[in-house]
């Protein structure tokens, strides 16, 4: 392919991408319909059985994501790109579950090295055959790209132990507020993060698996302790324990991760 042909293809792709709906209205409608808030709004479940009835609408939205060429994506502002990627991860995860539903856990989908559910190439994104780990680890967590550990509170792996699937689409104008609310919700959920009677933090395994993301690699914060210090009032109602966390003096351990499907029918 000569350079002129390549340029024409890129321009044509960019023209198609210009029609992309950055309000993510189609996804917004679906999650508002099928996501159920629980635990005082700090967690959620998904009505997968009902979601399956709207699978055509979901696939239409997924097709719109797949239709965005990389050249157009790269021209968008950071917040638009990040909202696109987070919504894409969550929507393709729901599609993966629905393609195998009913299942008890997303880990039941592909149980060996050659059919890993997070490395399974089952969709197109930004011009490539893609997989969930590509979105999370190769794009969103790539050093220097987005550098925001709150992405872990926005991505949903269809599991009870995972941060909640948000009941609305992520959108660029409100992305900062949405990410911050997700952080507060996750850290306020006592089934995932809590303080023991003795004052020790009992944290989600996410803080262990991705500890480097809270230790300077992605955040302008040198440690998990200092990051969690900002959220002391959400982790416990006890003023004494809040003070200890805020001062970075609370020891912590990690809770077992619940891989059960976040199904409203459970």
């Amino acid at each position: 392919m000569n350079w002129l042909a390549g340029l024409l293809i890129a321009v044509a792709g960019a023209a198609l991408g210009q029609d992309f709906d950055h309000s993510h209205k189609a996804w917004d409608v679906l999650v508002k319909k099928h996501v159920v808030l629980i635990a005082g709004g700090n967690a959620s479940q998904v009505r997968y059985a009902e979601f399956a009835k709207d699978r055509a609408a979901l696939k239409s939205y997924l097709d719109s994501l797949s239709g965005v060429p990389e050249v157009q994506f790269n021209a968008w502002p950071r917040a638009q790109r990040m909202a696109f990627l987070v919504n894409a991860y969550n929507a393709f995860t729901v599609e993966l579950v629905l393609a195998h539903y009913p299942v008890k856990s997303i880990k039941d989908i592909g149980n060996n090295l050659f059919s890993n559910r997070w490395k399974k190439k089952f969709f197109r994104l930004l011009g490539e055959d893609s997989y969930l780990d590509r979105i999370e680890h190769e794009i969103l967590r790539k050093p220097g790209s987005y550098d925001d550990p709150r992405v872990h509170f926005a991505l949903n792996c269809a599991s009870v132990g995972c941060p909640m699937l948000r009941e609305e689409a992520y959108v660029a104008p409100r992305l900062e507020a949405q990410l911050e609310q997700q952080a507060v919700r996750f850290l306020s959920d006592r089934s995932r993060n809590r303080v023991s009677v003795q004052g020790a933090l009992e944290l989600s395994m996410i803080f262990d698996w991705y500890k480097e993301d809270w230790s300077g690699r992605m955040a302008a914060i040198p440690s998990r302790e200092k990051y969690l210090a900002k959220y002391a009032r959400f982790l416990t109602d006890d003023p004494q324990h809040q003070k200890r966390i805020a001062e970075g003096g609370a020891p912590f351990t990690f809770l077992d991760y619940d891989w059960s499907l976040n199904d409203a029918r459970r």
Side-chain angles (χ1 to χ4, degrees), residues 76-118:
W76 294 342
R78 176 185 180 276
Q80 283 188 347
R81 287 183 278 118
M82 194 170 184
F84 175 92
L85 292 167
V86 172
N87 288 329
Y89 183 97
N90 290 339
F92 279 113
T93 297
V94 169
E95 167 60 18
L96 179 64
V97 171
L98 293 181
H100 297 83
Y101 192 79
V103 290
K104 293 182 178 179
S105 169
I106 192 172
K107 296 189 79 173
D108 294 337
I109 302 171
N111 56 4
N112 60 63
L113 179 64
F114 301 103
S115 60
N116 183 302
R117 77 291 299 169
W118 291 292

Side-chain angles (χ1 to χ4, degrees), residues 11 35 47 82 89 97 106 115 129 160 176 199 205 219 221 242 246 248:
V11 171
V35 171
R47 296 190 182 104
M82 194 170 184
Y89 183 97
V97 171
I106 192 172
S115 60
D129 291 336
V160 171
E176 173 61 28
M205 283 295 296
I221 297 173
Q242 287 179 1

Side-chain angles (χ1 to χ4, degrees), residues 112-168:
N112 60 63
L113 179 64
F114 301 103
S115 60
N116 183 302
R117 77 291 299 169
W118 291 292
K119 296 188 181 300
K120 176 182 175 63
K121 293 182 179 180
F122 68 96
F123 59 92
R124 295 276 296 176
L125 197 70
L126 305 179
E128 293 185 23
D129 291 336
S130 294
Y131 44 95
L132 295 173
D133 269 2
R134 180 187 175 221
I135 298 176
E136 180 177 8
H137 303 303
E138 299 174 27
I139 304 178
L140 281 168
R141 294 185 63 232
K142 181 180 178 181
S145 293
Y146 298 93
D147 293 340
D148 192 332
R150 293 176 303 178
V151 70
H152 293 294
F153 308 138
L155 299 179
N156 180 263
C157 64
S159 302
V160 171
C162 193
M164 63 182 287
L165 178 61
R166 191 171 178 86
E167 74 283 14
E168 65 176 359

Side-chain angles (χ1 to χ4, degrees), residues 167-231:
E167 74 283 14
E168 65 176 359
Y170 291 90
V171 290
R174 294 189 291 114
L175 184 63
E176 173 61 28
Q178 289 176 317
L179 291 175
E180 191 59 23
Q181 185 184 35
Q182 288 297 109
V184 169
R185 284 170 153 181
F186 187 58
L187 292 169
S188 300
D189 184 354
R190 298 293 181 262
S191 69
R192 295 165 177 81
N193 300 280
R194 56 180 178 253
V195 177
S196 71
V197 175
Q198 295 75 24
L201 280 167
E202 297 177 338
L203 302 173
S204 165
M205 283 295 296
I206 287 174
F207 287 104
D208 186 38
W209 292 332
Y210 306 113
K211 57 188 174 184
E212 67 273 19
D213 291 356
W214 282 279
S215 301
R217 192 181 79 88
M218 289 176 66
I221 297 173
S223 68
R224 286 171 296 189
E225 291 88 345
K226 289 189 178 297
Y227 184 86
L228 293 167
K230 300 192 308 175
Y231 298 95

Side-chain angles (χ1 to χ4, degrees), residues 56-75:
L58 174 60
K59 287 189 173 183
S60 179
Y61 173 66
L62 297 178
D63 287 345
S64 76
L65 297 173
S66 296
V68 174
E70 186 176 20
V71 64
Q72 184 67 26
F73 172 84
N74 289 337

